[in-house]
Amino acid sequence: MNRLKYVCNYAEYLGKRVRAWIVDDETFHISRLQRVINRKPDLMHPRALSEKICHRLLFDRNPLYTRLADKLAVREYIQNKTDKLTLAPLLGIYTRVEEIDFSQLPEKFVLKCNHDSGSVVICTNKATFDKPRALTKLKLAMKKNMYYSTREWQYKNITPVILCETYIDLFTDRIKDTTPEMLRIHCFHGIASLIEADITDSSGKEYINVYDRAWQLQPFQMEYPNTPYAVSTPPLLYEALDAAQDVARDIDYCRVDLMLRPDAVVFSEITLSPRRGKLQITPAEWDIKLGDMWQLAGTDNRL
């Protein structure tokens, strides 16, 4: 990222902070969601999953949500909830990019901020790793508060740090085209109900298949098309489902994101507002069907 792009990106972020003083959260979420679902959403009496996610963003200020969204604090939460998940070994915690000593890091590693989404930097070869570009990206991320960009309340009060974790290799001796890089398990009232399997093929094309607990492909799509070929049941699927339920036991709705190594289920994150509550679900009727699975406290779930 060159200097001009850095300045432009930061200026854009400052504009979003100013916008937060002008456009309240409710107006923001209604307008953004309306663009996706092509109708005015009802966030006071939500029925669809997207509406319920936005409703919670507006009206539920449970401090637990900040802990779950913090990629550092959530590690302790996971350790207290289950022994069925592996955490990527933590190599370092930094409050400034200048503290990162690359000479002390292994050949492969992952850098990411704890307070946002999208700041991940992956190194698989230190000899070709673009350190200046990575540091600039992280430095910019450390200056931002994700709340002002997405209005996801749970990110607003996280103290930012940079984490360095061990790189998790998922594809050695496995076929990339049919190996999910992430299982995103939607849990309703502590029950692992649906599984998004993220797959990127060898040409870089992205797919998402949605399955039930029995690994049966579902008749709807979320964000991306289905793979043009069948994907076999992952060997550790049921261990992953059990672990997700342990983690989601006290949460009415969340998505537990996990990576499957051949020998272990690796925790990635807990997501409280997938796609910031602006889910693109096709056919649209499934947004309602999924919403009906979540009995959101304080709202009327009836027709």
Side-chain angles (χ1 to χ4, degrees):
M1 183 185 299
N2 60 38
R3 181 64 182 173
L4 178 59
K5 188 174 181 181
Y6 178 96
V7 171
C8 291
N9 284 347
Y10 189 57
E12 181 183 9
Y13 165 70
L14 292 178
K16 292 175 180 177
R17 288 194 67 122
V18 172
R19 181 182 62 191
W21 289 94
I22 302 170
V23 179
D24 63 63
D25 286 2
E26 183 173 359
T27 301
F28 178 91
H29 286 299
I30 288 175
S31 63
R32 296 303 189 280
L33 182 53
Q34 186 167 348
R35 296 175 192 174
V36 174
I37 63 177
N38 296 315
R39 62 176 176 82
K40 186 171 182 179
D42 185 350
L43 302 189
M44 296 305 297
H45 304 92
R47 179 90 189 279
L49 178 60
S50 295
E51 291 174 328
K52 290 185 176 182
I53 293 172
C54 290
H55 175 96
R56 184 166 67 181
L57 286 171
L58 289 172
F59 302 113
D60 192 345
R61 294 293 185 261
N62 187 339
L64 172 64
Y65 299 159
T66 296
R67 184 182 176 195
L68 299 179
D70 184 331
K71 293 179 176 62
L72 178 59
V74 75
R75 294 172 67 93
E76 181 181 5
Y77 180 87
I78 294 300
Q79 290 173 326
N80 291 335
K81 285 292 183 180
T82 185
D83 59 2
K84 301 169 186 173
L85 291 176
T86 296
L87 292 170
L90 195 58
L91 303 176
I93 303 173
Y94 317 101
T95 57
R96 300 181 302 120
V97 296
E98 291 78 10
E99 297 173 4
I100 304 172
D101 184 352
F102 289 99
S103 68
Q104 299 299 310
L105 298 180
E107 181 69 16
K108 298 181 180 182
F109 57 84
V110 175
L111 291 165
K112 62 184 179 182
C113 293
N114 69 319
H115 70 298
D116 72 352
S117 176
S119 64
V120 177
V121 174
I122 299 174
C123 173
T124 57
N125 185 338
K126 287 176 73 173
T128 59
F129 183 58
D130 190 340
K131 295 178 187 177
R133 182 184 180 91
L135 292 175
T136 300
K137 179 178 181 178
L138 291 167
K139 188 174 183 178
L140 179 60
M142 288 289 283
K143 288 185 175 183
K144 295 181 178 181
N145 184 318
M146 187 165 156
Y147 161 76
Y148 293 104
S149 297
T150 67
R151 305 296 180 91
E152 293 171 279
W153 174 85
Q154 65 267 27
Y155 292 102
K156 188 174 185 179
N157 299 309
I158 300 175
T159 301
V161 295
I162 300 168
L163 308 180
C164 184
E165 295 179 345
T166 300
Y167 174 76
I168 304 297
D169 189 347
L170 301 176
F171 301 112
T172 298
D173 299 325
R174 304 168 89 180
I175 300 173
K176 184 173 174 60
D177 287 13
T178 57
T179 300
E181 58 198 55
M182 190 78 70
L183 295 186
R184 305 185 189 275
I185 303 174
H186 293 257
C187 298
F188 297 88
H189 305 285
I191 303 299
S193 304
L194 290 167
I195 308 148
E196 289 182 59
D198 291 6
I199 295 175
T200 303
D201 68 17
S202 52
S203 67
K205 189 169 183 179
E206 297 177 291
Y207 302 95
I208 291 179
N209 291 354
V210 184
Y211 299 95
D212 64 12
R213 294 169 56 91
W215 203 251
Q216 298 297 310
L217 189 65
Q218 297 300 285
F220 66 93
Q221 298 175 356
M222 300 182 76
E223 311 299 328
Y224 291 92
N226 292 339
T227 57
Y229 37 77
V231 176
S232 300
T233 305
L236 295 180
L237 173 65
Y238 297 106
E239 289 85 346
L241 294 175
D242 286 345
Q245 291 186 162
D246 287 348
V247 170
R249 186 182 309 123
D250 301 318
I251 309 169
D252 55 359
Y253 166 74
C254 68
R255 196 188 72 197
V256 182
D257 296 353
L258 306 174
M259 297 176 286
L260 300 189
R261 284 185 0 197
D263 59 342
V265 182
V266 183
F267 174 75
S268 177
E269 65 180 318
I270 297 174
T271 302
L272 294 165
S273 45
R275 296 290 295 181
R276 306 166 180 85
K278 318 305 181 298
L279 293 165
Q280 295 180 338
I281 300 175
T282 308
E285 65 196 57
W286 277 91
D287 197 7
I288 298 291
K289 292 181 179 180
L290 297 182
D292 286 342
M293 299 172 69
W294 179 7
Q295 303 305 305
L296 184 58
T299 63
D300 189 347
N301 291 282
R302 298 170 298 173
L303 285 170

